[in-house]
Amino acid sequence: MANGIIRLNGADNVVIALADLAAGARPEGLGGDLPGPVPRGHKIATRAITKGEQVVRYGQIIGQATTDIPAFAHVHSHNLGMGPHSDDYAIGRDCRPLAPQKPRDFMGFHRPDGTVGTRNYLGILTSVNCSGSVARFIAEAAERDPVLAAIPGIDGIVPIVHQTGCGMSGTNEGYQTLMRTLKGYARNPNFGGILLVGLGCEVMQVPDLVGQGRLRPDGNFRYMTIQGEGGTRATIARALGVLREMAQVAGGAKRARAPVSKLMVGLQCGGSDGYSGITANPALGHASDLLVAMGGTTILSETPEIYGAEHLLTRRAVSAEVGERLIERIRWWEDYTARNEGEMDNNPSPGNKRGGLTTILEKSLGAVAKGGTAPLAGVYKFAEPVTTPGFTYMDSPGYDPCSVTGQIASGATIIVFTTGRGSVSGYKPSPCIKLATNSEMYGRMKEDMDINCGDILDGVSIESKGIEILQKIISGSLGRTVPFGTTWLWRRGIRALADRSSDVSDEHYPPRLIAMLEAVWGIGFLSPGGAAEVARVLEGRDLKGKSVLDIGCGAGGIDVALAKAHGAAYVTGIDVEDSVISHARALVARQGLADRIGLAKVAPGPLPFPPGTFDVVFSKDSIVHIPDKAALMAEVARVLRPGGWFLASDWLIGTDDISPLMAAYIAAEGLDFGMATPARYRAAMEGAGMKDIAITSRNEWYRHEARTEVARMKGETGKNAAILVGQDFVTHNIGIWERMIPVLDTGEHCPTHLAARKP
């Protein structure tokens, strides 16, 4: 990589612009001035390329020059075309098994057929376009229904509508494809139940769907027709009653541990740009390899978008049959486009081309990178059930909403989607994780993106980004970690350090502060009492077999204690800063607990988890940063299962009238405190419908503990900490502690334990 450009392969005769480059610019490593401007993500010729000569990127042919291209000129649609090409499929030549990876677990919904879902929706499936509006009306009525709202454990009601089902042959390929798709949606493990709604006179008859074998292994399946029920209003009324019955059954499903070998992930891209094949796609490919090496299944699709790069897949086929089946699908698309007076090279969209992609060969080479290096274990038609674990391929159009539809019908329970231009689509019932290919778009559309892969251009390795994506896949099985509004803000402030400018990070808990607090409170802890205080908050409650959410996981010590010392089946730790999450992940890995602890950075806002997800919501001295306690407790109650507990310690204030002494202490801390009185906390918990509320002051304990901490900071602990963080930093923190002790003595600063049960 050079300043302003990147060469992807030594055999390439083009490089990629990493920024908008003006005419006359001379990027480092190019060897000459640009004769004209080149947009970010576009190609630059490294030498003169004659008309008809092959243009090479990724070490592969992406097209032919349609005119002479001067050295250092912009290479794009005006001078690059598809050209004839042929590839040696060499089936199986590069098929090499992956090294096994240590298995990991996730928390999912176990279904009777052995599959495991990542969500628990009720679906309203339609046999024909004529019943689509009624299905939507049913879903809207269900969302407003107080009876359904009171049934816990359901993630929502999903209407599944389409534009066909009648005015078609009842025997041809289109009919069979629709049949597979509808049956596949009915069986997807992200649904806890399915209601099938037809009109009554359509070609895709409801009895034909129902009569071709049991659509759901759990039996939570009902069907009706609008004509049979007596019209629209009667169908909606009947459907509400049926959905109430089905919700009682589906709501009984609870998340339980499952190996990641039960995950099936659809690999997708849309709105691609010139960086897609450099950053997000290969990073997703590495994540796919990791998941496959743990026994999981990934599905690559969009056949027109692998055109010209299919040889990279056939060479990884596990058998001649698998390789030939992929080639057969390619031939089908060549025939289809020829019959319809189209061409396979019309795929790159205007947005793709603005992003720097010119031919389908170029786009395909980048798209195939999503599939990593694993052996190609199986090839399937659109919506065919994927039954072979490992890296697989499902035939589909190169239109991502349609392609994802097929993947979900084939069994995908999570979608991971790379985008360079900024796709914002979602795909219920399967959660969708969005990967940004470039930092500029990620910054503009951060609320719609989950991971920025643009930092690969700044030196982050493909491998480390792949690990990050895998972690997001595993944690995303619990809930997508993006903001769902701004009902309340979870804020962390920064200690007002005189030498703040020496910290590279803008985060509120940079590594130096973490090191200082760990020196006082123990490895992995950023608040008083360490593991012993975690035990006191739990008050002897047994966490064995339970799913725990830790709000504000900090540096990881809390979650290690919850899993290791108290036996939690699975702990999901969330925080708002990369620095603490990275520190916590390292600690969890060292403790060998990555299969029982999932950590995720979340954006400020409501908790990004479905209702009824956790047995326990825990927090240790972190929700002090959330000012709206009523909204917080409403969210806690929402994600708790009935009978679940909220258990926390927090820093409270004795009165809403803050004295000058307390104000001076808060200013010295430099933190965005949202401290509340015990009365306000009780009101928030009662308002959320919580029972068995207990509020226990820990002021007397911490009055003495804080004095001990100051003495230690002035002694050996402080000396050891100064080696890591500097003596000035230690001295500054001693000053903060000394301002805190007087308000502990007055009772204005009141550390407190909180407990409440969701009935």
Side-chain angles (χ1 to χ4, degrees):
M1 187 183 303
N3 184 27
I5 60 172
I6 182 172
R7 183 190 294 268
L8 302 177
N9 187 288
D12 292 357
N13 55 10
V14 293
V15 293
I16 311 303
L18 298 180
D20 291 334
L21 301 175
R26 179 177 288 201
E28 180 186 341
L30 189 61
D33 298 339
L34 299 180
V38 179
R40 179 176 63 89
H42 284 238
K43 298 175 289 296
I44 303 168
T46 61
R47 57 170 176 80
I49 302 174
T50 59
K51 180 179 179 179
E53 186 179 351
Q54 293 171 338
V55 176
V56 179
R57 179 181 178 178
Y58 307 111
Q60 302 282 337
I61 298 167
I62 63 170
Q64 291 183 346
T66 57
T67 185
D68 289 339
I69 303 174
F72 319 130
H74 182 203
V75 178
H76 200 33
S77 304
H78 60 290
N79 55 18
L80 174 63
M82 182 79 161
H85 71 286
S86 62
D87 292 298
D88 176 13
Y89 287 127
I91 292 175
R93 189 182 73 186
D94 298 331
C95 180
R96 298 179 183 88
L98 299 174
Q101 296 282 323
K102 181 181 177 182
R104 296 182 60 181
D105 289 345
F106 73 105
M107 299 294 285
F109 295 97
H110 293 250
R111 306 304 184 190
D113 62 354
T115 59
V116 181
T118 64
R119 295 292 184 272
N120 194 35
Y121 286 109
L122 289 178
I124 305 171
L125 191 64
T126 55
S127 62
V128 65
N129 62 313
C130 306
S131 58
S133 293
V134 173
R136 289 193 177 99
F137 297 155
I138 294 169
E140 290 168 3
E143 295 289 353
R144 297 191 299 267
D145 182 49
V147 176
L148 279 167
I151 300 173
I154 305 298
D155 291 331
I157 313 290
V158 183
I160 306 152
V161 302
H162 52 92
Q163 298 301 314
T164 184
C166 203
M168 64 187 297
S169 166
T171 58
N172 68 0
E173 186 175 30
Y175 179 88
Q176 295 301 325
T177 300
L178 178 60
M179 177 73 76
R180 287 198 306 269
T181 304
L182 295 177
K183 291 169 69 175
Y185 263 75
R187 292 169 177 161
N188 189 288
N190 284 358
F191 284 119
I194 289 286
L195 170 62
L196 174 63
V197 179
L199 177 61
C201 57
E202 61 269 25
V203 171
M204 180 61 71
Q205 283 283 293
V206 169
D208 291 340
L209 272 166
V210 175
Q212 290 201 9
R214 195 177 188 189
L215 282 185
R216 286 193 60 84
D218 58 8
N220 202 19
F221 174 80
R222 304 288 189 278
Y223 59 91
M224 62 184 66
T225 66
I226 299 167
Q227 293 168 354
E229 295 301 325
T232 297
R233 190 186 302 274
T235 303
I236 295 170
R238 168 89 191 290
L240 272 180
V242 169
L243 286 173
R244 290 170 181 173
E245 296 173 4
M246 295 174 66
Q248 293 287 354
V249 176
K254 305 298 180 186
R255 289 187 183 271
R257 289 178 66 179
V260 294
S261 59
K262 293 293 186 179
L263 285 174
M264 188 176 292
V265 178
L267 310 174
Q268 279 290 329
C269 59
S272 300
D273 66 357
Y275 295 141
S276 295
I278 306 172
T279 61
N281 287 1
L284 177 54
H286 186 65
S288 173
D289 282 349
L290 292 173
L291 185 62
V292 167
M294 296 176 188
T297 302
T298 59
I299 310 170
L300 185 66
S301 297
E302 297 185 290
T303 309
E305 295 196 2
I306 67 159
Y307 188 66
E310 67 270 18
H311 63 288
L312 300 178
L313 297 176
T314 59
R315 293 176 184 184
R316 291 156 51 191
V318 297
S319 68
E321 180 185 0
V322 169
E324 290 293 345
R325 196 164 190 208
L326 179 59
I327 295 169
E328 185 273 328
R329 291 289 86 199
I330 293 290
R331 299 289 179 255
W332 186 96
W333 280 98
E334 289 176 332
D335 176 68
Y336 174 80
T337 53
R339 282 188 283 111
N340 289 278
E341 299 182 352
E343 56 184 18
M344 291 294 281
D345 190 33
N346 69 356
N347 181 270
S349 68
N352 294 154
K353 292 182 177 180
R354 283 194 296 272
L357 297 174
T358 307
T359 69
I360 187 56
L361 298 179
E362 179 180 20
K363 184 176 180 181
S364 294
L365 288 164
V368 165
K370 300 192 302 289
T373 64
L376 178 62
V379 175
Y380 297 86
K381 289 183 178 180
F382 186 92
E384 242 186 336
V386 172
T387 56
T388 303
F391 169 59
T392 65
Y393 189 87
M394 185 208 74
D395 180 35
S396 81
Y399 178 47
D400 40 87
C402 178
S403 181
V404 174
T405 298
Q407 289 179 330
I408 293 173
S410 288
T413 52
I414 291 183
I415 305 297
V416 186
F417 193 115
T418 72
T419 181
R421 307 296 293 176
S423 172
V424 297
S425 50
Y427 303 103
K428 286 182 179 179
S430 295
C432 181
I433 297 170
K434 289 290 174 62
L435 311 182
T437 71
N438 64 87
S439 299
E440 186 274 331
M441 184 273 287
Y442 179 79
R444 277 188 294 108
M445 302 181 67
K446 197 169 184 178
E447 284 193 348
D448 295 294
M449 298 294 116
D450 291 288
I451 292 178
N452 177 28
C453 296
D455 54 8
I456 290 172
L457 297 174
D458 300 323
V460 174
S461 71
I462 295 287
E463 292 75 18
S464 64
K465 188 60 64 172
I467 292 170
E468 181 182 352
I469 294 168
L470 176 65
Q471 181 59 42
K472 180 69 74 172
I473 291 170
I474 294 172
S475 63
S477 66
L478 282 173
R480 186 162 180 247
T481 52
V482 296
F484 286 85
T486 53
T487 306
W488 49 266
L489 293 179
W490 176 7
R491 303 178 297 170
R492 286 206 190 266
I494 176 63
R495 292 176 181 267
L497 305 176
D499 58 349
R500 170 69 182 141
S501 60
S502 64
D503 286 311
V504 175
S505 170
D506 288 331
E507 293 187 315
H508 303 148
Y509 283 80
R512 190 164 66 146
L513 181 54
I514 293 173
M516 175 71 215
L517 298 179
E518 283 187 322
V520 179
W521 290 322
I523 297 298
F525 289 95
L526 305 182
S527 64
E533 186 68 358
V534 171
R536 286 188 285 264
V537 172
L538 292 174
E539 292 184 327
R541 289 182 176 87
D542 186 7
L543 298 185
K544 289 179 182 177
K546 291 184 168 53
S547 173
V548 181
L549 171 65
D550 177 19
I551 300 177
C553 63
I558 300 165
D559 294 349
V560 169
L562 292 172
K564 195 170 185 178
H566 300 284
Y570 196 86
V571 181
T572 300
I574 59 173
D575 214 303
V576 295
E577 295 189 350
D578 287 319
S579 56
V580 292
I581 288 291
S582 296
H583 195 94
R585 282 179 179 153
L587 177 61
V588 168
R590 290 197 304 272
Q591 294 289 325
L593 292 170
D595 60 333
R596 294 177 56 199
I597 298 174
L599 301 167
K601 177 187 174 183
V602 299
L607 297 172
F609 303 102
T613 299
F614 301 100
D615 298 304
V616 174
V617 173
F618 188 92
S619 184
K620 185 177 186 299
D621 307 324
S622 178
I623 53 178
V624 64
H625 300 291
I626 301 172
D628 190 340
K629 307 304 183 188
L632 165 66
M633 292 313 305
E635 281 294 287
V636 167
R638 182 181 65 82
V639 302
L640 273 174
R641 293 171 180 157
W645 281 89
F646 168 64
L647 302 168
S649 62
D650 197 27
W651 288 15
L652 277 63
I653 49 175
T655 173
D656 284 319
D657 297 323
I658 296 176
S659 70
L661 200 63
M662 186 68 175
Y665 158 64
I666 293 174
E669 282 277 14
L671 290 166
D672 289 325
F673 278 172
M675 300 174 84
T677 62
R680 284 170 55 195
Y681 255 117
R682 181 176 291 278
M685 289 187 280
E686 289 176 346
M690 305 293 277
K691 303 294 183 184
D692 299 333
I693 296 169
I695 300 175
T696 307
S697 172
R698 296 284 289 157
N699 176 267
E700 189 62 27
W701 165 75
Y702 196 49
R703 283 181 62 202
H704 297 288
E705 187 70 14
R707 287 172 165 83
T708 301
E709 291 167 354
V710 169
R712 291 172 57 219
M713 282 191 285
K714 290 180 177 179
E716 284 300 312
T717 296
K719 290 179 183 178
N720 294 334
I723 297 172
L724 299 173
V725 302
Q727 185 57 51
D728 288 347
F729 197 89
V730 174
T731 301
H732 179 82
N733 277 274
I734 291 172
I736 294 174
W737 255 261
E738 289 179 336
R739 286 180 178 269
M740 176 175 62
I741 289 172
V743 292
L744 285 169
D745 289 343
T746 65
E748 283 189 271
H749 183 357
C750 188
T752 300
H753 287 181
L754 306 166
R757 180 181 58 83
K758 178 178 178 177

